Amino acid sequence: MIAAQIVGGIAFLCGVLAFLQKEDLRFRYGMVGFCFIMAIHFVMMDATVAAIGVTVNGIRAFVSIKTQSRWVMWVFIVLLIGVTVPQLSAPIEALTIVGSAVGTWALFSLTGIKMRSVILFNSCCWFIHNLWLGSIGGSLVEGTFIITNLMTIYRMYVAAQSSK
């Protein structure tokens, strides 16, 4: 359990660095690293749905760097649902699927403040799940993502207003 929390702590640092990025490309690359480290954490926590979901999210974040194709977006949403729903063991685990599906749509359809606002919803879904799971690292990660993302959205908003 301690090893899982250490891995969660490493994911935490990678995730915070990602959310501090104002540039979309750097944000997306940071999310790739975060997702794969978090997947290891969830495997160590025996959270199958979360581990599968965050792995798909990592692949999705990487692919979203290369293409914004709606077809690819739908492939990821269907893949996410197809590989996670059969693994559900508690209704609250569905929050990770809903959040990730909406996050997928955001990464392929939105940019800037709009993208980060939808990602904020995704983080709220994962935060509730991680509290339920008892994942200290995961809860801290998502709680910090919520705060960091709100700060970055605000900074981006202020920058947009001052350039008008």
Side-chain angles (χ1 to χ4, degrees), residues 28 68 73 101-111 114-116 118-119:
R28 291 172 198 268
Q68 295 296 295
M73 173 191 76
V102 170
T104 299
W105 173 76
L107 285 172
F108 282 88
S109 304
L110 304 172
T111 59
K114 289 179 183 177
M115 177 183 67
R116 283 168 179 79
V118 176
I119 297 294

Side-chain angles (χ1 to χ4, degrees), residues 3-15:
Q5 297 306 334
I6 290 170
V7 172
I10 293 167
F12 168 81
L13 294 174
C14 291

